[in-house]
Amino acid sequence: MSLGIWVLGDQLSQAQAALASTQPDAARVLLVESSSVLGQRAYHRQKLVLVWSAMRHFAEELRQAGWTVDYRIGEQFGTTVRDWITCHGIEQVWLMEPADRGFRDAIERLTLPVKLNWLPSNAFLWSREAFAAWADGYRQLRMELFYREGRRRFAVLMEGEGAKAQPLGGQWNYDHDNRRAPTKGLRGPEPLWFEPDAITQAVMERVEQLDQERQKAGLPPLPGRLVPFRWGVSRAQALAVLEHFIDTRLAGFGPYQDAMVNGEPTLWHALLSPYLNLGLLHPLEVIRVLEQAGRDRAVPLACLEGVIRQILGWREYTHGLYHWFGPAYGESNQLEAQAPLPAWLEHGGGSGMACMDTVLQEIEQTGYAHHIQRLMVLANYGLLAGLNPQALTDWFHRQFIDGYDWVMQTNVLGMGVYADGGRLASKPYAASGNYIRRMSTYCQDCRFDVKQRHGPKACPFNSLYWDFLARHRDRLRSNPRMALVFKQLEKLTPDELAAIRQTAAEHRSPM
């Protein structure tokens, strides 16, 4: 077999473009598990286990399907791939385009002795060319417009055909039904977890060994807990999570998708993003299953539309923007934020803020937090405190089980900290402690007072919020969506604003 197919770690589907372009008896397949990734980022232990175990399980799945598969474990990609090419007489290598731009650049720099043939990715609904054709027609690339076009293009939750098709239920968006604050005693259904099998246990042992070697070399330990590890690592398990979501969580997903509750890190969230981002599930496959479940089980339309919007809308939108904006986007810092990350971000808590420490402890345990925890606690803090956006984006990438460059650049730089100056979001998603008080149960046991703006007991989100507005008054006051908050800022007396800004400065000083 002179043809080699190199399958990357986030392309774990037998339908991926390179595998789908040939037959099992016509090519040799390579998967590479390289510890060199830790030289770039110190990833969460559970993320390493998830990716490497999923790769090993996928290799077995391919073998059972008749493919000749070589699974190589090494320190460096280049050495490992070159040895494989030489050993098996590979004359050309086919790869599917990776979702992350930097990964392709790194592969191109390997100077392999054979030609690389890149096949367009089929891991997303929108190709990069199709997204570019859509984006080229707009001055402002707003997600709602993109989402509606996706609904039409892929005939999702639509009634009628062609140009006359209308959204099911008569409206496109049910956001107003899906933003309820948590009620007392709110509890979600139990998520579906899995016990590690022998393959996963072997990966866990390797991660532990690599971590010990790092620490012996004087490097800090990898973030996150290694055990218990309970994520799915195969397509069969990913499909089981999808079915479990439909059976136990879909009908309740909508109303409380923005709620944050102590002791309830998952509530009704789907927990599908890690499997979608690895390729174990395809987005259109998931959407069609959800649509069918909606018809068969009479799922409330607000719940069904809410979860489909996350996949068909936001996920496709952020991936498309990542490639449309190009490499320079990763260096965006329109607000000139330069503060270093506080030590407690790396240590999994210790900020004294109940909201922040709760979310960090949950990430420490599983590498997961849902979208509102990410946006309105973690990224909101980064925005208000003026944390360096590149450092914060890197932290998100390392810590989250579903984190990749294409995910985190647009989500953190654009939506989270407004570092792109509004190319993605129409305004900064800045909020005081009052938002967290309304949408969570965190404030009840916090040592800070969410009703105070300044002084030693004041909620840091409050002092930082008003300080943020004062710092960026000249930059942001012309934004029509910010007019109301700047009117509120003007109502503060000079003495009160000075006290607020002093409290904010004292909070930031130990960072």
Side-chain angles (χ1 to χ4, degrees), residues 370-393:
H370 68 67
H371 67 285
I372 294 299
Q373 293 172 313
R374 299 187 198 199
L375 176 63
M376 301 309 297
V377 177
L378 298 170
N380 184 31
Y381 181 89
L383 171 68
L384 301 181
L387 302 186
N388 178 272
Q390 282 67 45
L392 186 62
T393 302

Side-chain angles (χ1 to χ4, degrees), residues 93-166:
V93 175
W94 291 4
L95 300 91
M96 185 173 82
E97 282 270 8
D100 281 358
R101 185 187 307 105
F103 203 2
R104 171 167 177 164
D105 294 342
I107 291 173
E108 296 277 14
R109 291 194 298 269
L110 294 180
T111 61
L112 299 177
V114 299
K115 179 183 178 182
L116 297 178
N117 181 28
W118 294 98
L119 282 77
S121 173
N122 60 359
F124 294 84
L125 279 74
W126 288 73
S127 70
R128 295 168 197 177
E129 293 75 19
F131 185 91
W134 171 83
D136 196 45
Y138 290 93
R139 182 169 163 268
Q140 291 185 315
L141 306 180
R142 297 304 179 217
M143 203 282 280
E144 183 65 24
L145 297 175
F146 173 77
Y147 170 59
R148 293 183 184 191
E149 178 61 25
R151 290 269 296 272
R152 295 186 187 97
R153 181 173 295 216
F154 299 101
V156 175
L157 298 181
M158 298 294 290
E159 293 180 309
E161 297 181 0
K164 295 183 179 180
Q166 296 296 317

Side-chain angles (χ1 to χ4, degrees), residues 76-88:
Q76 300 293 330
F77 280 106
T79 301
T80 303
V81 177
R82 280 191 291 270
D83 288 348
W84 173 74
I85 289 171
T86 301
C87 178
H88 298 290

Side-chain angles (χ1 to χ4, degrees), residues 34-44 48 52 207 210-211 214 219 222:
S34 172
S35 59
S36 65
V37 295
L38 293 176
Q40 301 169 351
R41 290 187 174 96
Y43 289 103
H44 195 293
L48 290 170
W52 288 346
V207 170
L210 289 171
D211 194 23
R214 283 173 52 85
L219 296 172
L222 293 173

